[in-house]
Amino acid sequence: MNQTISYCQHGLKGEITIPADKSISHRAVMFASLIKGKTLIKGFSKAQDPLSTVNVCKTLGVEIESINESDIVVTSSGILKKHSQYLNCGNSGTTMRLMSGIVSSRNINCTLIGDESLSKRPMRRIIEPLTKMGAVIYTIDNCSPLYICGRNLHSINYHSQLASAQVKSCVLLAGLNAEGRTTFTEPSLSRNHTELLMSYLNADIKVDGLSVSVKRSQMEPKTIEIPGDMSSAAFFIAAALIVPHSDIILKNVGLNPTRTGLLEVVSKMGGNVEILDKRIVCGETVGDLRVKYSELKGTVIDGDLIPKLIDEIPIIAVMATQAEGTTIVRNAQDLRYKESDRISAVAGILKKLGADITETSDGFIINGKCNLSGGVDVDSLWDHRLAMSAYIAGFLCKNEILVRNFDCVDISFPEFEQYINYLHM
Ligand code: S3P
């Protein structure tokens, strides 16, 4: 499906509730599948990626049913099916990398497969630590399909070069069923939903700065409530900040500090975002946000901030085109290994729309404030975050734009268009 977007004249107004966090949805259904008994998950995501995890868990013998519009119940014996089978992870890197930790540490023989984009993404980052724990994984060129012969693993003390929550979670999930205590240390803090949810479900997990360790333990069935996704809220936050006359309220936004790098950047850029009613739900920080149009200024985004906003960089680039002065993003080389090469794709799209953006090896340099001319077609490359970022950029373009392959937004945010139309009425 292609989507046309025209200049937004009157700004965004109104209040919406942000749908469930994708990262936490994956973890909730995976962890519930390892727990003997019934787990109620409230506010589960309807996006394709978490549904890939649901399908994989079902293939492994877990019963998962929707009990209403937003809640699901997971019923498991706590032991997953042993037989060799294909586990289809679709487009989802989180499903493939985290499930690899689960199946390789249990008595399960299986093959993890994914779509064309996932089959090109690097898996060496998880194969290396898992192999050190004694896992048996066969691949061609460290990409999927991953043929895994699950078995008893032993603990490791692993120092990762990458700040990646997927790698960390994979190792912790393997460690949850390995001999001894497994420790994972990362160079800067990546999202910590695995640590928080394992703690909430009473696993034997300890956090010490940039290190986290886990020991073989059983988690307990408890109701899990999932907050709204900061990475989905990001598109509305950016849109309201850069489209004149906007004033919106976003309810139920996950505000875990390992995910709120965007808010830190917005504050440095002079953006007006107010946090209302901050609270804790199942160990996660949640709040409501009021966002108003603001005159932004350029900034530098690098170092420890990168993992806290890794998925928001495409929409931050759009925001930077409307900020006075230069914005530099650096140390974000891992963006080249996402659903697409997001460094070259973002630069390509924004340049075509009329922005002054230069690609670097690990980020980009954007000079604002740009008048975007638009009047062109751009391609999402089947990358959901590029499709939504291009959509928001379209609001600033003088001439209508067309985003090709827009339906990939369903991967993380099937409600996107309905919500943006509501705020735009
Ligand atoms: C995720 C971690 C991040 C992020 C991805 C979801 C997760 O990936 O980009 O969308 O749920 O753990 P990396 O761990 O590769 O940085």
Side-chain angles (χ1 to χ4, degrees):
M1 181 195 101
N2 299 333
Q3 175 75 42
T4 52
I5 303 108
S6 13
Y7 185 75
C8 177
Q9 222 157 21
H10 305 295
L12 302 176
K13 301 262 163 57
E15 178 180 307
I16 53 170
T17 300
I18 297 297
D21 188 277
K22 180 161 86 75
S23 287
I24 304 175
S25 293
H26 283 293
R27 287 157 173 82
V29 75
M30 282 182 199
F31 297 5
S33 298
L34 300 176
I35 295 173
K36 186 174 175 198
K38 273 187 196 302
T39 303
L40 169 63
I41 304 178
K42 293 175 87 167
F44 190 76
S45 167
K46 294 183 179 59
Q48 265 172 22
D49 267 5
L51 292 182
S52 292
T53 296
V54 165
N55 288 334
V56 165
C57 293
K58 281 184 174 170
T59 310
L60 289 167
V62 180
E63 221 178 275
I64 300 167
E65 49 169 358
S66 296
I67 52 165
N68 57 39
E69 259 291 287
S70 58
D71 305 339
I72 63 168
V73 171
V74 179
T75 309
S76 175
S77 63
I79 296 167
L80 304 174
K81 253 201 219 160
K82 288 183 185 159
H83 315 295
S84 159
Q85 52 212 317
Y86 287 105
L87 301 180
N88 190 347
C89 304
N91 188 252
S92 173
T94 307
T95 309
M96 184 167 283
R97 292 185 176 132
L98 271 59
M99 283 311 304
S100 296
I102 292 179
V103 295
S104 56
S105 58
R106 288 156 208 269
N107 193 8
I108 300 165
N109 291 329
C110 60
T111 305
L112 287 106
I113 56 171
D115 69 6
E116 204 185 318
S117 145
L118 184 54
S119 305
K120 288 189 199 129
R121 294 179 65 186
M123 292 297 148
R124 198 179 125 87
R125 55 185 65 193
I126 56 154
I127 293 171
E128 188 183 284
L130 289 176
T131 306
K132 285 197 165 136
M133 296 177 85
V136 176
I137 304 174
Y138 301 102
T139 65
I140 300 168
D141 290 338
N142 290 305
C143 286
S144 66
L146 306 178
Y147 306 91
I148 300 187
C149 307
R151 58 194 55 222
N152 274 332
L153 303 185
H154 54 79
S155 60
I156 47 167
N157 184 350
Y158 192 72
H159 287 258
S160 176
Q161 306 285 318
L162 268 180
S164 160
Q166 292 180 350
V167 177
K168 173 171 66 177
S169 304
C170 167
V171 173
L172 293 176
L173 280 161
L176 194 65
N177 199 39
E179 296 291 335
R181 182 170 277 280
T182 296
T183 305
F184 184 94
T185 305
E186 55 188 341
S188 43
L189 195 58
S190 63
R191 65 189 67 188
N192 64 357
H193 304 304
T194 295
E195 295 92 305
L196 293 180
L197 193 55
M198 280 189 180
S199 295
Y200 172 72
L201 298 171
N202 295 329
D204 185 345
I205 182 164
K206 290 180 191 154
V207 177
D208 179 11
L210 294 175
S211 295
V212 50
S213 72
V214 71
K215 213 176 147 197
R216 179 177 280 153
S217 46
Q218 285 297 329
M219 293 182 282
E220 292 167 14
K222 277 185 173 183
T223 297
I224 302 170
E225 217 170 305
I226 302 185
D229 199 325
M230 169 49 87
S231 299
S232 298
F235 298 101
F236 304 122
I237 295 172
L241 287 169
I242 60 180
V243 176
H245 315 296
S246 297
D247 184 357
I248 60 170
I249 290 187
L250 306 173
K251 301 204 80 158
N252 191 39
V253 185
L255 296 176
N256 178 322
T258 63
R259 294 285 298 281
T260 49
L262 169 69
L263 299 185
E264 292 179 44
V265 166
V266 164
S267 151
K268 287 204 289 179
M269 293 177 92
N272 187 341
V273 178
E274 204 184 330
I275 300 179
L276 316 161
D277 190 19
K278 219 171 176 178
R279 51 205 185 266
I280 302 285
V281 178
C282 299
E284 290 281 353
T285 310
V286 186
D288 304 332
L289 301 177
R290 178 164 188 188
V291 191
K292 291 187 195 163
Y293 170 74
S294 309
E295 298 283 346
L296 300 177
K297 52 181 192 296
T299 188
V300 175
I301 302 163
D302 60 4
D304 291 348
L305 201 49
I306 296 294
K308 296 191 202 166
L309 46 67
I310 188 74
D311 291 339
E312 284 65 80
I313 293 176
I315 190 63
I316 288 175
V318 174
M319 228 165 61
T321 68
Q322 301 308 305
E324 211 53 68
T326 303
T327 295
I328 300 173
V329 176
R330 55 188 178 218
N331 310 133
Q333 53 277 8
D334 212 42
L335 271 190
R336 295 202 182 269
Y337 307 106
K338 296 291 177 187
E339 288 83 331
S340 68
D341 173 346
R342 286 186 179 157
I343 294 181
S344 95
V346 165
I349 291 174
L350 291 180
K351 220 177 249 173
K352 206 166 173 195
L353 298 181
D356 177 353
I357 176 167
T358 308
E359 173 181 348
T360 63
S361 62
D362 62 351
F364 13 69
I365 300 166
I366 300 166
N367 292 310
K369 187 173 179 170
C370 297
N371 286 321
L372 301 178
S373 47
V376 290
D377 292 8
V378 292
D379 200 315
S380 74
L381 303 176
W382 291 102
D383 181 332
H384 52 125
R385 301 210 193 276
L386 294 185
M388 292 183 275
S389 300
Y391 190 110
I392 302 302
F395 278 164
L396 275 307
C397 289
K398 217 166 94 208
N399 303 297
E400 188 175 274
I401 69 162
L402 183 134
V403 182
R404 297 205 177 278
N405 303 313
F406 187 76
D407 25 346
C408 62
V409 298
D410 290 355
I411 287 165
S412 65
F413 197 179
E415 306 88 345
F416 174 78
E417 224 194 317
Q418 180 199 335
Y419 283 29
I420 201 85
N421 284 340
Y422 176 78
L423 294 174
H424 187 200
M425 268 193 319

